[in-house]
Amino acid sequence: MNVHKVPANHSGDLGIDYYCLIERVIYQCYAPEEPLDIAVRADRQKSKMTTDLGKLIKGAADVSKLMLGQKLKSWVLLVPNHDSKDLNLHCAKKTGDLRKLGLPLLDENFEVCIQDQTHFPGKAVQDAMAGLTNLSLNVAAPSKEELKNWEAGSADLVANATVKLGKRASGPALGEVVAHGIEAFLRGNGLIDALRNNAPDMHEKVAAAIQVRARTLTFAGPKGGTLPSSILNTEIASLTQAIKTAAPTLSDDNAHEIALGTISEWIMRCPLDFPDAA
């Protein structure tokens, strides 16, 4: 109720997206197109800050009118992810620069700040901000030739998968299940490689989540009862959730495909197996 929006459609927005008279604060929102590594994201956030503070200075008279003559206490760049100390240093520099200007608009203790979703209580707010940088990677499915070449060079892994998945299916269906598992493994690997190249910080979090689940599985065994189908569904759902928890901005489809590929690898190698039929 006490936060006002400043539209940019007509004559610009003065470097302001929202302002609050009670708190005497201005918010400028910014979400660069992802995926980006930390250094590039920080550089773009600093550039955005510099540009919009320039607008604030240039339009100080109009901003003062918006603030009803009250002195501005803080200008905040609101971003989905703040993960570099360089942003804090840039805020300190800009705070000093603007204080030196002696603008009537600014409080003597005026500050330039950067905030992310962790500054705001409530899952709804965090989810809304996280949605600004939802990451969805597109990786081509492996071709028939790639699948054939991989199978030819990985006979032992294919044999492992065939033995284990033989507890899940039989006859012609077994061949289809094994083929689907190999394709899921290769596609999951492709997504993990794309994540490593495009969002290395997110890749580290996802890899750590997978390692934790793998250690737990090795120690405690699979969840989901005794039926192979129940175990598979439970493990896929559990790992997908672990990946999403570690990387909330990763798309649901990507998280599911990475989980499916990882489970397929665990079947071909270790630690996942199914109980023998009674």
Side-chain angles (χ1 to χ4, degrees), residues 5 15 28 53 64 80 83 85 99 104 107-108 117 125 150 154 157 159 161 168 173 191 217 243 247 255 258-259 268:
K5 177 181 178 180
Q28 179 65 39
L53 285 171
S64 183
D83 43 20
K85 71 178 186 307
R99 285 182 182 181
D107 186 88
E108 63 178 353
Q117 55 191 308
V125 175
W150 187 89
S154 308
L157 297 181
R168 159 77 177 82
L191 282 168
L217 186 59
I243 290 170
I258 289 173
M268 289 188 287

Side-chain angles (χ1 to χ4, degrees), residues 206 209-210 213 232-248 250-263 266:
V206 169
I210 291 173
R213 181 60 201 142
L232 280 172
N233 283 312
T234 300
E235 290 297 335
I236 291 168
S238 177
L239 185 57
T240 300
Q241 183 57 52
I243 290 170
K244 283 294 294 182
T245 299
L250 183 65
S251 74
D252 291 346
D253 286 345
N254 283 170
H256 178 75
E257 287 188 278
I258 289 173
L260 190 59
T262 301
I263 297 295
W266 288 349

